[in-house]
Amino acid sequence: NAGNEQGMLGMAFDPGYQENGYFYMYYISGSNAGLSRISRFQVTADPDSADAESERVIYEWEQPEWNHNGGTIHFGSDGYLYMAFGDGGGSNDTYLNAQDLTDPLGDIIRIDVSAHDSTYLIPPDNPFADQDGTDTLPEIWAYGLRNPFRWSFDRLTDDLWIGDVGQITWEEVDFWPAG
């Protein structure tokens, strides 16, 4: 993609990859600002080649701008898929998306993709899983981020370290302890 922060942004291998050959991609699809898309693919008989026809779209969300699209995608030790979306772009948090619980922008979402179809389940211990009767998205696991473009779980402690952008002259690293 010709956009500044678009194209392929992240990739994660299914915890059962050795048996099922599934991996997940996060990329921006479409034209203009595009769609944030999480898709599952499967490897072919050749372990060095993916089957492009195997794509199953798991999650999509429209982007308002071409920047601040996040990017990292991981499976946690709990087996759930975590994906960080940026706040949707613009300078100085134009849209205030990171504080809006009705969209995933500026958030880390956490979903259960273990059914291995084109759907997902909400982990019952997500913070907003039981918000019946509201517009709050139950897949939101953490919110209030700007553009968590690189982050990782500590392999020894399961703590989360989040690289987030600031505005012009500063950047941010957030720490989220395990549990």
Side-chain angles (χ1 to χ4, degrees):
N1 191 303
N4 186 354
E5 298 175 17
Q6 298 191 322
M8 186 189 122
L9 300 174
M11 179 178 170
F13 290 93
D14 190 278
Y17 177 78
Q18 293 296 325
E19 294 80 38
N20 61 34
Y22 293 143
F23 61 96
Y24 294 79
M25 303 286 295
Y26 172 44
Y27 63 97
I28 303 300
S29 173
S31 58
N32 299 319
L35 296 170
S36 283
R37 179 180 284 172
I38 299 172
S39 288
R40 186 194 76 224
F41 292 87
Q42 190 167 25
V43 72
T44 64
D46 174 357
D48 296 327
S49 180
D51 178 3
E53 299 301 314
S54 70
E55 181 177 16
R56 297 292 176 263
V57 175
I58 303 295
Y59 196 91
E60 283 186 322
W61 197 269
E62 188 172 355
Q63 285 289 338
E65 301 284 344
W66 56 265
N67 67 331
H68 285 199
N69 294 316
T72 306
I73 180 173
H74 291 287
F75 279 92
S77 63
D78 54 14
Y80 297 132
L81 184 62
Y82 291 73
M83 175 55 225
F85 290 95
D87 66 6
S91 61
N92 299 308
D93 197 13
T94 304
Y95 303 103
L96 303 176
N97 286 326
Q99 301 300 318
D100 183 354
L101 297 176
T102 66
D103 73 48
L105 301 177
D107 306 336
I108 295 177
I109 67 168
R110 177 180 178 237
I111 58 177
D112 178 357
V113 294
S114 63
H116 296 132
D117 56 19
S118 59
T119 62
Y120 62 90
L121 299 173
I122 302 299
D125 60 342
N126 271 11
F128 304 105
D130 295 324
Q131 297 294 312
D132 294 335
T134 72
D135 292 334
T136 299
L137 294 181
E139 56 265 48
I140 294 174
W141 183 74
Y143 69 100
L145 300 161
R146 183 77 192 276
N147 186 34
F149 65 102
R150 292 291 176 261
W151 55 272
S152 185
F153 290 103
D154 184 303
R155 291 182 186 180
L156 297 177
T157 65
D158 218 21
D159 295 333
L160 184 62
W161 292 91
I162 305 167
D164 201 358
V165 300
Q167 181 67 36
I168 302 174
T169 60
W170 53 272
E171 301 295 338
E172 179 175 314
V173 176
D174 297 305
F175 171 74
W176 189 304

